[in-house]
Amino acid sequence: MEIFIQNIGLTVLFPLWCSVLIFLGNFLSILKSKKIILSLTLLSTTFGLITSLFTFFNAMVTENFVLENTFKFLSVNNFILELGTYIDLTSSFMLLIIFTVTLAVQIYSYSYMYNDASFSRFFALMNFFTFSMSALVLSPNLFQIYICWELVGVSSYLLISFWFHKNAASNAGKKAFVMNRIGDMCLLAGIILSSIIIYNYSGQTDFADIPFSSIDKIAAYLFTYTSEPIFIIICVLLILGSIAKSAQFPLHTWLPDAMEGPTPVSALIHSATMVAAGVFLIARLFPIYYQSSFVMNFIVIIGIISALIGAFCAITCRDIKRILAYSTSSQLGIMFIALGSGALTASMLYLATHAFIKSMLFLCAGLIMSLYLGKTDIDNFGGLKKHMSLIAYIFLIGAFSLSGILFSGFASKSLVFHHLFETHSYYIILSLLVISFMTAFYIFRMYFLVFEGNSHTSDNKKYSHVMVVPILFLCVITLLLGFFLPKMSTLKYELIPVTTELVAILLAYLFYVKFVNMLPKLPILYNLSYNKLYIDNFYDFITQKLYLGICKTANFIDDYIFDGTVFVTVFLTKLNAWLNSKFQTGSVQSYISYSFAILALVLTGFCLVYSLVAYFAEV
Amino acid sequence: MEYLSLNLLIFSPLIIAILFFLPIFNTKEVFIRRFTKTFMGVHFVYALCFWIFYNPDVNFFDELFLFGQSGVQSLGIRSAFAIDGLSLVMVTLTSFLFFMSAISSKTIIRHRQKLYYGLLLLLETSVLGVFTSSDIFIFFCFWELELIPMYFLISLWGSGRAQKSAMKFLLYTFFGSLFLLLGILLLSYYSDTLNFQMSSLFADINVVDKLPINIQILISILLMIGFFVKLPIIPLHTWLPNAHCDAPAPISILLAGLLLKMGAYGFIRFNILLLPDAFKILAPFLIVFAVINIIHAGLCAYNQDDIKKIIAYSSISNMGIVLLGLCTNNEEGVTGGIVHMVSHGLICAGLFMIVGIIYNRTKTRDIKAISGLGTVMPNLMGFTVMFSFAAIGVPLLIGFVGEFLTFWGAFSVQYDSYIFLPTVIIFAIFVLVISAAYMFKFVHRIFFGSIDNSWAILKDLTAHEFIVLSSILSVIVFFGINPMSLIDVINPIVEVIVESAGI
């Protein structure tokens, strides 16, 4: 057991080696067998899972368990940047979630991607993602977080544009990368600013890379050596990094588009692991943010807005994967709310339960899609319960859990509510109730539209049973995880949310099963929701009109002012040359006349000057 | 290490070039091509030996004796060459990129190969001379010598309006050199010697200290104009897009990878090390120029339709980062600037190579005419994506190290009397988004999306192209994972820079 914990670096490196091996093996045409690729991948992931299990239990039983292993990556002057691993309860917990979901998704993608021509590229990238994500959660300092932050962004981008020949996938990848890059930029600015403040003012140069082992001290230094506005700016910059990665308002629009990637990618990266990195970062830097109530409120407000927008857009969305994507954005918003209101543990537990539920739902959606030749429009489905009752029940479990009525979703949500009721933050409770209502409504709308009602097809669909195993695995975790969470058995706090959610389910049932097509399309609200609040259109305007306009202006300046000056100089030189060449007639007579004219001019001028000087000398 | 001769390193390409032009030399083109490649390979290994045996305490110093004397000693000119950390890095990079350029010439240069490879070797000597000479006069000679082969290489083997671009390049650079020469003459007029022993390790006698500060600033600005044409810094940059576009791909590699670095190198040697007092006064304004450079060129790059111009403008933008790093006056920033010089040399070389390959296959550089090449050229796409990641500064590739250290240094700049500076410097970090925007516009338009039928017959990389791209990429990855191996080499010179120019 000790040996696993001591060598946790291997957990990070195995997936990297796998990735390189698969990539090179494919390139040199040595490693073509899909079974070997899968077994290599599963071997490294299982190793990671076992290690993270041991580490997690060790961290659970040991009080204040911390283990740090670092090596020097970069050192200039007194600024030393170290990379390595840092294990405490939070990171081992995240590592466990990552490897569990990864294992399930990798088994699933074997049969999902089996017929794809780029099978090995997919697995190489998935392994690379596992490497960068596990390195991210094991980061000993903020700089390694940034490095891995970029790497997960890169692997996410490459996996979204996996089918690069599809225009939609290409655009989605570009959008995701550039939007994440905005967040990365803010994060880097925040990290560098805080690092410089620690380095230049506190005198603690070895804290310049912001190690998490002494984050409390760093938080104190940072607060002491900065003025209030600077401190808030730094915090907001750091949070903006989290906002982009966790698809929060205003940088959330990349996530629904990211669903163009293969479904296992959505299940792993865009629901469970990478998007949770933003929440993880806030949890890591909690001591810093906690010092300013403004920053905490900022996190809450971002969370509320994103959760509301996500849920609101999910209600009318017609694409089954995008519904889940909006739901992810919305649920991450709830984690932001929990973090901002100080419920650190509750939000981390919420992250865990949500990771399992959401990747399970995505895997179900992928299974359904694969039977319908990749169709995603919700109108294509209906009455699927008759054909695939097992999947329908699993989805139902997921839906109940996601809306927070039963199972692990209930347990984690009640923790959040408990904290909010205890701290009497009633306006947050109210918005959370609205969000819960909408959550239950959209997820059951999806369930009813896909699985209930009339079947559109009559043939019995066959699906690969290999794909069901990971779904069942995640389902079991979802069912059982609730029992391991800490209990807050206060019935009065649980009653209100559950009632709200039940009303929402009833409404969804009435609208989508009982009285189909009776739902009036509320004129303004429907359009707003269906068009995603026109935020996408706004960003399209910014990128395609405003940014291009700025670039055109810059180019105009470049062409006509900077290069124009050069052009004018050249033109004047040429003009001069042309004028002078006109005098070069070649006939001696004209040359002599020119010289006489010039001589006459010079002599006249000389006489004039001379007489003037003489005149003034006399005066 | 006494066995390593600096003269041999610098002048052996020249000797080979002279051999080429002799009438007795073999005229078979294949032979000439292979001979050049082999020679450049050996030269690179020889340059690597310098790297391996490099020791900051012991210097490589050599003098060239012609007819019994070195240079014109009555005028104080000595043809002396020396290598310190900075020179070493640049010399190795030069040798490496010339090797790569010679390999990649095979598919692109199809006529008058004897002349081409001869000029290439001549160019190598002049670039090496610039990076190693420790005498200002010799430096200037090599600085000017480089123009001659470059002019012919662009105009004779270029595409599009090659002659016009070559002329623009020549005149523009000459215009800059004019100011450079004026600065050098002023310097020698005020200090009575031309032998400055530029290599900082020898700089125990600082003649310049005696100059009045006004004269120093004047000389500094004159020299700067010369270097900023080469670097290039806005508004002296307009020769670069044309020259890059119309030059053949192997020459674009050298233009972007090395010739731009000559400007930065000269800037470090003259403006920072020789005239530190003037530099201290000018640095805050240079930072403003650098930031304008970064942002303006980045924005221009997004608006280009010519794929080579996108890369050309991106290299202008990157040279802004180099200048920003060098002007920060702290160890982190200066290290960042120098590392970014190297990283940009490698990355830009790779990107120009890629663009050259695309142009060679499709015969068009219009970004709108090409789409979906990834389907038929997966290997090239893989390389392009990797190089783009390096160009926008993704960690574990060398681009990140330079960019990150530069920003770290720039953010901690302390010029107390200039309150506007922090506000200006903050804008520099937007380059992260701007560069992602133009790089991925390039990658997505060319390689992603559905393929046009006319491109479906294109062939993927040949062996030569693959070797070039993979060796450049492996260097990028090596230094990205292990940046200390580069930083340790340049650290002594960075300390000298910061010590002389630091506040």
Side-chain angles (χ1 to χ4, degrees), chain B residues 238-385:
Chain B
T238 54
W239 62 270
L240 187 137
N242 298 63
H244 270 123
C245 278
D246 297 333
I251 303 307
S252 295
I253 292 176
L254 300 177
L255 258 178
L258 297 170
L259 297 208
L260 308 191
K261 309 302 171 296
M262 280 166 48
Y265 177 85
F267 182 75
I268 296 172
R269 284 283 183 234
F270 286 78
N271 290 78
I272 303 182
L273 286 171
L274 212 53
L275 301 159
D277 296 332
F279 174 70
K280 268 178 232 172
I281 295 166
L282 293 172
F285 304 102
L286 294 182
I287 287 180
V288 178
F289 269 99
V291 174
I292 292 173
N293 213 38
I294 294 170
I295 302 299
H296 177 85
L299 291 175
C300 285
Y302 188 77
N303 196 34
Q304 302 303 322
D305 281 337
D306 187 325
I307 45 177
K308 254 190 168 175
K309 269 196 176 167
I310 296 179
I311 313 297
Y313 273 103
S314 92
S315 74
I316 299 178
S317 175
N318 276 298
M319 293 323 281
I321 297 179
V322 171
L323 184 64
L324 178 65
L326 295 179
C327 293
T328 52
N329 265 353
N330 50 41
E331 243 178 76
E332 291 83 2
V334 175
T335 310
I338 295 174
V339 171
H340 201 75
M341 269 164 76
V342 178
S343 84
H344 173 257
L346 292 165
I347 294 163
C348 222
L351 285 172
F352 271 116
M353 180 74 207
I354 286 162
V355 172
I357 292 169
I358 296 168
Y359 178 65
N360 196 26
R361 301 276 201 285
T362 61
K363 301 291 171 219
T364 177
R365 293 198 305 251
D366 189 359
I367 198 166
K368 285 176 184 142
I370 314 170
S371 72
L373 290 191
T375 321
V376 286
M377 308 168 104
N379 290 344
L380 182 61
M381 177 176 70
F383 277 118
T384 314
V385 170

Side-chain angles (χ1 to χ4, degrees), chain A residues 16 27 71-79 81 83 121 128 131 143 146-148 150-151 154-155 157-158 161 164-167 169-175 177-178 181-186 188-193 195-196 199-201 208 237 543-544 547-548 550-559 562-564 566 570 574, chain B residues 164 168 172 234-235 237-239 241-242 296 298-300 302-304 309 313 331-332 335 372-375 378-379 381 385 389 392-396 400-401 403-405 407-412 414 426 429-438 440-441 443-445 447-451 466 480-484 487-488 491 494:
Chain A
L16 181 64
F27 185 75
F71 64 92
K72 192 178 75 176
F73 176 66
L74 194 65
S75 87
V76 179
N77 204 357
N78 290 323
F79 175 76
L81 205 165
L83 301 185
R121 177 160 63 100
F128 185 73
F131 153 71
F143 280 97
Y146 176 76
I147 288 173
C148 300
E150 290 267 289
L151 291 182
V154 162
S155 39
Y157 157 76
L158 289 173
S161 328
F164 58 86
H165 48 83
K166 288 201 319 195
N167 281 327
S170 156
N171 289 338
K174 190 162 67 177
K175 185 175 182 180
F177 194 83
V178 173
R181 196 79 182 162
I182 295 172
D184 294 351
M185 175 186 82
C186 298
L188 185 63
I191 293 175
I192 291 180
L193 282 177
S195 161
I196 282 166
Y199 184 83
N200 283 347
Y201 298 109
L237 282 172
T543 51
Q544 281 162 18
Y547 185 67
L548 203 62
I550 295 170
C551 290
K552 281 209 162 79
T553 320
N555 208 15
F556 180 83
I557 293 171
D558 210 63
D559 282 350
F562 296 141
D563 212 19
V566 179
V570 171
K574 276 187 179 164
Chain B
K164 208 163 182 174
K168 193 174 179 182
Y172 220 124
I234 286 166
H237 66 288
T238 54
W239 62 270
N242 298 63
H296 177 85
L299 291 175
C300 285
Y302 188 77
N303 196 34
Q304 302 303 322
K309 269 196 176 167
Y313 273 103
E331 243 178 76
E332 291 83 2
T335 310
L373 290 191
T375 321
N379 290 344
M381 177 176 70
V385 170
F389 283 148
I392 63 175
V394 167
L396 301 193
F400 168 73
V401 182
E403 226 172 76
F404 163 73
L405 283 175
F407 288 138
W408 206 98
F411 276 38
S412 60
Q414 287 166 329
I426 278 287
I429 205 158
F430 279 106
V431 74
L432 263 75
V433 178
I434 291 173
S435 62
Y438 64 69
F440 282 98
K441 178 193 175 190
V443 173
H444 281 253
R445 286 271 178 85
F447 290 100
F448 289 26
S450 50
I451 187 165
F466 186 82
I481 294 171
N482 184 11
M484 285 318 286
I487 290 173
D488 280 339
N491 199 41
V494 170

